[in-house]
């Protein structure tokens, strides 16, 4: 069945690529935004292919635009994705937040920041890295069948974070500038500040931004203080670019750190304890990127080298039996790169290239176990080609293939290696003006999954990789309908994602084994309407998440149950008063059943959370913006859907989200 699927998709990919190369007829496709005459608020048409790139929203994905970020003023990723029902974020302090797309945890997606892969989640009580929204320009979440050039390991899609730079913030006609931001929030939000400077000089452009936040523990809607939840982020982003004779080189460095006292498992309320311990989570990333600023149809290259380091440091928690729940010192280092070129044809574009990555992991083994340190490593190299085409008959196609080789060396020095192929194809047909149907599928080879490698901190020398440990695989199928009628757009997507062979650290057999198959299937519905000076949007997602056919339990694993989720938002601009305002509703349905209670878990209660915002720019001072945000307006007591629920056998309680939080901030460009 697997070979048949690969052959069918590979045949479709080859046929589409060959057809586009053979035919050289000009195709004109409408991709202009539906603009209004009185406002800057616009709706982008939802089409499968636009300017040679997939529109991720056209196939059930999510886009957070610069305007969205400016409106939301997010302090963390929970607020960043608050308008998107397809994404849930676990609660608690900043480093504990992990995103899930249709119930699939971020390790199952190809996550990148400015093209640099971010790696897997180290431990299910923390995120894989600290993403500071203060640095973000935009986010794309490609759900399901990801393109071949999305990167290695795109099992259930891809998440692409893009950070700001000098040319994003420079005002017209200026060669230098700066931005300062300051905010204060109630309910522990505290003080947050950022300072940026940027400019152009001859062929050079430069950008430097610093950001930090400091506050206290927040309280939930019932007034209960949640220990270890204080904001404590610090970060820096620098970029230096140089352009010459049609070429561009950019050197970038990003640093982020969260350093504070946290509870021992910071995405749950374990034993109702108030004990906190020092914890530092940090990331350093250095990248060098080359691109052409004068591309031709046959030569539009891009190349990048990068090195990144992630650290999770929490020493001296306890010794003896309790050490398995506490002490942890994790380090991971990645060195990699990508080289690719894009060829432009009358019908679209073809991107081809190679990528590679070497990952080294180090895990201190506390609790008087031997060996004192576990180390493991992976090495991957791959070649890929992806074509995106628009044909005159109303058919659009995106299809591609990649071939990867991976070597895995475990903590005992055992080495496994294998090679696998991945294929994808998505096609749409516009059957009436503004209406199109689409279908897509992918078969993805993931290599040897290492899973939550932080679990090795509690394993001794007898823990081994199981004989016959196999590479993991993913299968995605999606189909749906897009609509675009000027001032309104809509999308309905049915999805089915299956993950096979993911890692599981099985303490019963003392081995790293292949887990039983996971599956997430359901549908997501999106719609937006603009009336010129404002817009309204809504989304609804239903995802059934299972393992080996049984409903998944909310135990913090690689997938979580999410059930039914919905969002509703509205934005309005009063141009004559220089005011913008709006709000967001987040809703989650009940999640209950005997499968939960019989396993010791409580049912998830439904919740509805309202958030509102306002922005004012003083007359004659359009470089100053004053923001007012009220999150959880009605002081709802709730925990986010992908968080832990009460689990009686182990005294696990949910870590509730913040109650009403009011934040006042100001930004000034100069």
């Amino acid at each position: 069945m697997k070979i048949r699927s690969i052959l069918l998709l590979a045949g479709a990919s080859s046929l589409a690529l060959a057809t586009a190369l053979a035919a050289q007829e000009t195709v004109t496709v409408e991709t202009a935004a539906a603009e209004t005459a009185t406002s800057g608020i616009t709706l982008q048409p939802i089409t499968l292919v636009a300017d040679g790139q997939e529109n991720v929203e056209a196939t059930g994905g999510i886009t957070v635009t610069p305007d969205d970020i400016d409106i939301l003023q997010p302090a963390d990723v929970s607020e960043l994705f608050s308008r998107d029902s397809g994404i849930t974020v676990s609660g608690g302090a900043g480093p504990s937040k992990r995103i899930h797309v249709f119930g699939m945890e971020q390790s199952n997606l190809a996550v990148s920041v400015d093209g640099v892969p971010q790696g897997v989640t180290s431990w299910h009580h923390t995120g894989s890295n600290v993403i500071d929204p203060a640095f973000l320009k935009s986010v794309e979440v490609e759900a399901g069948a990801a393109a071949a050039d999305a990167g290695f390991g795109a099992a259930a899609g891809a998440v692409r974070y893009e950070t700001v730079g000098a040319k994003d913030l420079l005002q017209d006609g200026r060669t230098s500038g700066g931005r300062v931001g300051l905010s204060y929030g109630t309910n522990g939000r505290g003080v947050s500040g950022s300072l940026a400077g940027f400019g152009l000089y001859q062929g050079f452009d430069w950008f430097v931004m610093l950001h930090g936040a400091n506050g206290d523990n927040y309280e939930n809607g019932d007034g209960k203080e949640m220990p270890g939840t204080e904001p404590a982020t610090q970060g820096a982003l620098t970029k230096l670019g140089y352009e010459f004779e049609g070429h561009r080189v950019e050197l970038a460095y990003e640093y982020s750190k969260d350093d504070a006292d946290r509870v021992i498992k910071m995405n749950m309320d374990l034993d109702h304890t108030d004990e906190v311990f020092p914890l530092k989570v940090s990331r350093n990333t250095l990248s060098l990127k080359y691109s052409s600023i004068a591309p031709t149809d046959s030569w539009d290259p891009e190349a990048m080298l990068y090195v990144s380091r992630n650290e999770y440091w929490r020493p001296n928690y306890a010794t003896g039996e309790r050490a398995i729940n506490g002490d942890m010192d994790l380090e991971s280092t990645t060195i990699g790169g990508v080289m690719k070129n894009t060829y432009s044809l009358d019908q679209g574009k073809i991107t081809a290239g190679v990528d590679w990555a070497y990952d080294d992991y180090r895990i201190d083994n506390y609790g008087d176990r031997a060996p004192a340190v576990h180390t493991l490593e992976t090495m991957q190299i791959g070649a890929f080609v992806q074509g995106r085409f628009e044909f005159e008959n109303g058919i659009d196609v995106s299809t591609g293939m990649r071939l990867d080789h991976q070597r895995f060396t475990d903590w005992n020095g055992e080495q496994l290696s294998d090679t696998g192929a991945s294929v994808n194809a998505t096609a749409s047909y516009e059957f009436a003006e503004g209406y199109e149907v689409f279908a897509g599928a992918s078969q993805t080879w993931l290599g040897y999954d290492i899973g939550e490698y932080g679990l090795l901190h509690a394993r001794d020398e007898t823990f081994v990789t199981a004989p016959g440990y196999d590479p993991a695989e993913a299968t995605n199928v999606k189909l749906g309908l897009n609509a675009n009628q000027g001032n309104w757009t809509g999308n309905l997507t049915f999805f089915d994602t299956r993950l096979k062979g993911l890692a599981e650290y099985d303490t019963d057999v003392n081995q790293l084994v292949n887990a039983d198959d996971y599956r997430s299937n359901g549908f997501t519905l999106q719609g937006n309407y603009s009336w010129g000076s404002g817009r309204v949007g809504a989304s609804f997602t239903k995802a059934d998440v299972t393992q080996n056919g049984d409903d998944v339990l909310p135990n913090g694993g690689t997938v979580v149950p999410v059930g039914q989720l919905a969002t509703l938002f509205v934005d309005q601009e009063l141009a004559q008063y220089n005011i913008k305002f709006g709000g967001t509703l987040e809703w989650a349905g009940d999640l209950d059943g005997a499968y939960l209670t019989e396993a010791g878990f409580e049912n998830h209660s439904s919740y509805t959370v309202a958030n509102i915002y306002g922005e004012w720019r003083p007359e004659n001072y359009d470089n100053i913006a004053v923001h007012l945000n009220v999150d959880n307006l009605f002081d709802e007591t709730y925990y986010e859907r992908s968080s832990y629920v009460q689990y009686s056998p182990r005294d696990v309680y949910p870590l509730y989200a913040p109650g009403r939080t009011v934040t006042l901030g100001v930004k000034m460009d100069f």
Side-chain angles (χ1 to χ4, degrees):
M1 183 67 180
K2 168 192 164 187
I3 296 176
R4 181 183 301 173
S5 299
I6 292 177
L7 289 176
L8 286 172
L9 284 171
S13 298
S14 300
L15 179 61
L17 291 167
T19 301
L21 287 169
Q24 292 295 311
E25 299 177 5
T26 302
V27 177
T28 303
V29 177
E30 295 291 336
T31 58
E35 296 195 27
T36 69
T38 60
S39 171
I41 295 178
T42 62
L43 291 180
Q44 293 290 340
I46 294 182
T47 53
L48 177 70
V49 177
D51 295 330
Q53 296 290 329
E54 290 105 335
N55 182 329
V56 295
E57 294 179 1
T59 52
I62 293 154
T63 301
V64 184
T65 68
D67 287 341
D68 294 330
I69 293 175
D70 192 51
I71 285 171
L72 295 169
Q73 295 292 301
D76 53 43
V77 289
S78 288
E79 297 177 7
L80 179 68
F81 294 116
S82 62
R83 292 185 164 189
D84 303 298
S85 62
I87 298 182
T88 57
V89 183
S90 54
S96 70
K97 292 184 176 296
R98 296 184 297 155
I99 71 169
H100 294 75
V101 179
F102 301 152
M104 299 290 186
E105 199 264 345
Q106 61 195 36
S107 295
N108 301 305
L109 297 99
V111 182
S112 64
V113 177
D114 291 335
V116 178
Q118 296 302 290
V120 299
T121 294
S122 59
W123 195 40
H124 60 274
H125 297 296
T126 185
S128 60
N129 44 65
V130 179
I131 301 295
D132 191 340
F135 300 134
L136 289 180
K137 174 185 175 183
S138 62
V139 188
E140 286 186 345
V141 181
E142 190 175 4
D149 53 1
F152 175 67
V159 181
R160 293 182 283 270
Y161 296 96
E162 185 178 353
T163 62
V164 295
K167 295 184 178 181
D168 300 314
L169 300 183
L170 269 176
Q171 299 178 21
D172 291 342
R174 297 282 301 274
T175 59
S176 64
R179 172 175 289 184
V180 60
L182 185 65
S183 69
Y184 175 77
T186 64
N187 194 21
R189 178 65 57 87
V191 178
S192 175
S194 62
L195 178 64
F198 39 86
L200 303 173
Y201 178 72
Q202 296 181 353
F204 290 94
D205 58 87
W206 57 275
F207 177 87
V208 179
M209 185 175 182
L210 306 175
H211 178 256
N214 186 44
D216 300 312
N217 296 331
Y218 65 73
E219 296 179 352
N220 71 359
D222 287 335
K224 174 180 170 57
E225 180 179 339
M226 307 308 297
T229 58
E230 64 183 86
T233 59
Q234 300 176 38
L237 176 65
T238 63
K239 296 181 180 181
L240 177 63
Y242 180 59
E243 297 180 0
F244 60 100
E245 299 178 350
H247 308 284
R248 176 176 174 81
V249 179
E250 181 179 277
L251 180 67
Y253 172 69
E254 182 194 1
Y255 171 73
S256 64
K257 179 179 71 172
D258 187 285
D259 190 357
D261 290 343
R262 305 296 187 193
V263 293
I264 193 62
K265 295 180 178 179
M266 57 184 170
N267 61 347
M268 64 166 65
D269 183 3
L270 184 64
D271 298 325
H272 284 323
T273 180
D274 293 336
E275 283 187 291
V276 291
F277 306 89
L279 172 65
K280 181 173 72 173
V281 181
S282 64
R283 183 181 77 245
N284 292 267
T285 301
L286 181 67
S287 64
L288 179 64
K289 183 183 297 184
Y290 165 81
S291 59
S292 173
I293 57 175
T296 66
D297 287 348
S298 60
W299 184 243
D300 186 7
E302 185 176 310
M304 181 174 63
L305 294 173
Y306 59 85
V307 57
S308 64
R309 184 180 181 86
N310 293 278
E311 295 179 292
Y312 185 101
W313 184 80
R314 183 182 59 196
N316 305 322
Y317 164 73
T319 57
E321 292 183 1
R322 290 195 70 189
I324 62 170
N325 283 327
D327 297 337
M328 188 171 289
D329 186 357
L330 310 176
E331 297 177 3
S332 66
T333 302
T334 301
I335 302 173
V338 60
M339 293 185 295
K340 60 184 178 181
N341 185 59
T342 299
Y343 306 88
S344 296
L345 308 173
D346 290 340
Q347 292 76 29
K349 297 182 179 181
I350 298 175
T351 300
V354 296
D355 55 24
W356 63 277
Y358 169 78
D359 294 276
D360 177 76
Y361 305 89
R362 179 184 183 276
I363 306 98
D364 268 20
N365 197 1
Y366 290 95
D368 300 323
R369 289 174 172 81
V373 176
H374 288 303
T375 60
L376 59 147
E377 64 181 41
T378 61
M379 178 68 190
Q380 167 268 329
I381 184 169
F384 58 85
V385 59
Q386 183 76 23
R388 300 168 173 96
F389 312 112
E390 308 166 6
F391 298 104
E392 285 184 321
N393 56 5
I395 295 177
D396 297 342
V397 176
S398 173
T399 185
M401 300 173 283
R402 63 177 296 135
L403 183 68
D404 291 284
H405 177 78
Q406 188 202 37
R407 185 186 67 216
F408 166 49
T409 305
D410 75 5
W411 50 95
N412 293 317
E414 296 295 323
Q415 193 171 99
L416 301 172
S417 63
D418 202 352
T419 301
S422 305
V423 290
N424 71 86
T426 303
S428 72
Y429 174 64
E430 187 175 14
F431 60 90
E433 186 174 359
Y435 295 93
E436 68 176 5
V437 291
F438 68 87
S442 67
Q443 180 78 36
T444 307
W445 188 82
L446 307 175
Y448 295 99
D449 183 35
I450 65 168
E452 300 170 16
Y453 61 91
L455 292 170
L456 288 169
H457 88 293
R459 309 279 81 84
D460 62 20
E461 58 189 358
T462 64
F463 194 84
V464 299
T465 300
Y469 186 65
D470 293 323
E473 301 170 348
T475 302
N476 286 279
V477 176
K478 56 185 177 181
L479 56 91
L481 170 70
N482 296 320
N484 168 38
Q485 292 299 310
N487 59 348
W488 69 269
T489 62
N491 165 270
L492 172 64
T493 300
F494 295 91
F495 60 86
D496 191 343
T497 296
R498 301 170 189 249
L499 307 179
K500 178 181 179 181
L502 295 185
E504 180 178 326
Y505 288 78
D506 192 332
T507 56
D508 291 334
V509 297
N510 221 26
Q511 292 179 345
L512 174 68
V513 301
N514 294 117
D516 289 337
D517 296 358
Y518 292 100
R519 181 184 183 187
S520 175
N521 70 299
F523 69 91
T524 185
L525 176 66
Q526 306 171 16
N528 294 274
Y529 176 77
S530 170
W531 56 87
S533 62
R535 62 177 178 172
V536 62
S539 65
F540 177 83
T541 298
K542 183 180 185 297
D544 296 320
V545 185
T546 58
Q547 183 177 26
N548 202 29
D550 298 325
D551 291 323
V552 167
L553 296 170
N555 57 6
T558 191
V559 299
V560 296
V562 292
Q564 300 179 26
L565 302 160
T567 62
L568 173 68
F569 69 86
V570 61
D571 299 316
Q572 178 63 54
E573 180 179 4
L574 301 178
Q576 64 272 37
Y577 301 111
N578 300 319
I579 290 175
K580 296 178 182 178
F581 62 93
T584 302
L585 281 177
E586 304 173 65
W587 174 84
D590 291 323
L591 198 61
D592 51 26
Y595 79 99
L596 289 172
T597 55
E598 290 174 0
F601 294 91
E602 284 197 352
N603 293 323
H604 293 261
S605 298
S606 176
Y607 63 82
T608 302
V609 181
N611 313 304
I612 61 173
Y613 78 92
E615 178 193 281
W616 172 60
R617 291 183 179 269
E619 190 174 0
N620 301 323
Y621 294 95
D622 59 359
N623 63 321
I624 297 177
V626 180
H627 296 270
L628 178 67
N629 291 63
V630 183
D631 298 308
N632 194 358
L633 176 65
F634 300 112
D635 220 12
E636 177 84 358
T637 300
Y638 75 104
Y639 49 90
E640 295 170 271
R641 179 54 78 232
S642 52
S643 299
Y644 278 85
V645 68
Q646 186 166 339
Y647 180 51
S648 299
R650 295 185 59 191
D651 295 322
V652 171
Y653 302 93
L655 203 159
Y656 288 95
R660 184 186 301 113
T661 305
V662 181
T663 306
L664 179 64
V666 60
K667 284 186 177 181
M668 182 176 69
D669 295 318
F670 56 88

XYZ file of all heavy atoms in Angstrom, residues 5 22-24 30 51 66 118 132 150 190 198 204 266 280 306 354 396 432 440 464 549 558 604 606 611 633 647 665:
216
model
N 1.111 4.057 -2.967
C 0.826 5.479 -2.744
C 1.959 6.347 -3.254
O 1.742 7.382 -3.893
C 0.601 5.738 -1.246
O -0.495 5.003 -0.779
N 6.923 21.444 -20.776
C 6.684 21.332 -22.210
C 5.841 22.485 -22.749
O 6.043 22.952 -23.869
C 5.989 20.000 -22.510
N 4.882 22.926 -21.963
C 3.982 23.985 -22.422
C 4.539 25.340 -22.042
O 4.955 25.553 -20.933
C 2.601 23.796 -21.796
N 4.548 26.265 -22.972
C 5.097 27.593 -22.711
C 4.102 28.665 -23.147
O 4.363 29.478 -24.028
C 6.427 27.775 -23.461
C 7.548 26.915 -22.945
C 7.929 27.296 -21.528
O 8.120 28.452 -21.232
N 8.026 26.314 -20.668
N -5.900 36.105 -11.795
C -6.221 37.245 -10.942
C -5.735 36.960 -9.531
O -6.141 35.991 -8.921
C -7.740 37.467 -10.914
C -8.332 37.869 -12.242
C -7.911 39.265 -12.643
O -7.578 40.037 -11.744
O -7.898 39.570 -13.835
N 0.999 33.875 -7.540
C 2.372 34.294 -7.835
C 3.368 33.156 -7.641
O 4.477 33.357 -7.152
C 2.764 35.488 -6.970
C 1.938 36.731 -7.295
O 1.513 36.888 -8.462
O 1.709 37.523 -6.383
N 1.342 40.838 9.250
C 1.849 41.957 10.063
C 0.735 42.800 10.663
O 0.845 43.261 11.809
C 2.694 42.753 9.058
C 3.153 41.737 8.058
C 1.999 40.785 7.928
N 13.830 24.538 13.629
C 13.847 24.706 15.077
C 13.928 23.406 15.865
O 14.041 23.433 17.079
C 12.605 25.487 15.497
C 12.575 26.882 14.935
C 13.785 27.701 15.332
O 13.939 28.075 16.486
N 14.660 27.978 14.377
N 9.537 34.722 20.667
C 9.137 36.014 21.214
C 8.361 36.775 20.147
O 8.935 37.195 19.136
C 10.374 36.810 21.639
C 10.018 38.045 22.460
O 8.857 38.479 22.375
O 10.889 38.558 23.173
N 9.463 22.635 1.984
C 9.189 23.091 3.344
C 10.245 22.605 4.319
O 10.372 23.145 5.420
C 7.807 22.617 3.794
N 2.913 42.880 34.108
C 4.092 43.682 34.417
C 4.528 44.571 33.275
O 3.729 45.007 32.445
N 17.516 50.915 13.068
C 17.706 50.319 11.756
C 18.027 51.408 10.751
O 17.770 52.596 10.987
C 16.444 49.553 11.333
C 15.166 50.251 11.711
C 14.601 51.225 10.890
C 14.535 49.950 12.905
C 13.431 51.868 11.246
C 13.357 50.597 13.277
C 12.808 51.565 12.436
N 24.528 48.819 2.341
C 24.309 48.112 3.598
C 22.937 48.445 4.184
O 22.425 49.557 4.033
C 25.383 48.487 4.628
C 26.739 47.955 4.317
C 27.657 48.726 3.613
C 27.121 46.687 4.726
C 28.924 48.240 3.324
C 28.377 46.197 4.444
C 29.280 46.972 3.734
N 5.963 22.695 34.335
C 5.342 24.006 34.282
C 4.120 24.100 33.369
O 3.582 25.191 33.196
C 6.368 25.065 33.887
C 7.063 24.825 32.590
S 8.304 26.082 32.310
C 9.156 25.377 30.907
N 16.241 28.018 33.320
C 16.623 28.887 32.213
C 16.494 28.112 30.911
O 17.042 27.029 30.757
C 18.057 29.398 32.375
C 18.481 30.339 31.242
C 19.848 30.968 31.504
C 20.968 29.965 31.357
N 22.297 30.603 31.457
N 23.544 27.815 8.726
C 23.085 28.220 10.047
C 23.647 27.303 11.128
O 24.014 26.149 10.874
C 21.555 28.209 10.118
C 20.935 26.859 9.831
C 20.782 25.895 10.820
C 20.501 26.535 8.546
C 20.225 24.662 10.557
C 19.940 25.303 8.268
C 19.801 24.372 9.283
O 19.257 23.139 9.005
N 18.995 21.282 -2.429
C 19.436 20.299 -1.439
C 19.440 20.973 -0.068
O 19.641 22.189 0.049
C 20.835 19.734 -1.759
C 20.822 18.960 -3.070
C 21.877 20.845 -1.813
N -5.032 24.507 -11.188
C -3.772 24.869 -10.545
C -3.208 23.626 -9.871
O -3.951 22.816 -9.311
C -3.969 25.959 -9.493
C -4.470 27.264 -10.095
O -4.338 27.431 -11.319
O -4.987 28.105 -9.332
N -16.361 27.720 -11.338
C -17.160 28.918 -11.595
C -16.347 30.094 -11.080
O -15.461 29.923 -10.243
C -18.522 28.842 -10.910
N -5.636 17.170 -2.211
C -4.192 17.010 -2.068
C -3.856 15.780 -1.248
O -4.679 15.276 -0.476
N 17.874 0.966 25.938
C 18.450 0.789 24.607
C 17.412 1.113 23.537
O 16.214 1.232 23.814
C 18.970 -0.657 24.406
C 20.059 -0.994 25.409
C 17.813 -1.655 24.510
N -6.592 3.617 16.709
C -8.040 3.547 16.664
C -8.755 3.982 17.924
O -9.981 4.120 17.920
N 2.572 13.437 22.182
C 2.866 14.081 20.906
C 1.615 14.519 20.171
O 1.682 15.334 19.261
C 3.692 13.140 20.018
O 4.192 13.857 18.893
C 2.859 11.972 19.519
N -13.303 17.599 30.022
C -12.997 18.998 29.731
C -14.302 19.768 29.619
O -15.192 19.383 28.856
C -12.250 19.127 28.391
C -10.884 18.538 28.378
N -9.749 19.282 28.543
C -10.464 17.263 28.209
C -8.687 18.503 28.469
N -9.094 17.273 28.267
N -16.606 23.057 28.522
C -16.615 24.073 27.478
C -16.261 25.432 28.071
O -16.504 25.695 29.252
C -17.998 24.134 26.836
O -18.073 25.170 25.883
N -11.772 38.732 24.159
C -10.647 39.670 24.224
C -10.996 40.890 23.374
O -11.541 40.750 22.278
C -9.362 39.037 23.692
C -9.106 37.651 24.257
O -9.040 37.466 25.456
N -8.974 36.662 23.372
N -11.903 39.225 28.998
C -12.713 40.353 29.456
C -13.647 39.983 30.605
O -13.815 40.744 31.567
C -13.528 40.895 28.271
C -14.519 42.013 28.558
C -13.791 43.275 29.008
C -15.371 42.292 27.317
N -6.148 14.679 36.726
C -5.846 13.257 36.600
C -5.656 12.716 38.009
O -4.625 12.928 38.654
C -4.583 13.080 35.756
C -4.152 11.651 35.533
C -5.046 10.694 35.070
C -2.838 11.262 35.768
C -4.646 9.392 34.848
C -2.420 9.957 35.549
C -3.329 9.025 35.093
O -2.927 7.732 34.878
N -0.198 50.120 26.340
C 1.121 50.246 25.737
C 1.199 51.382 24.751
O 0.176 51.864 24.240
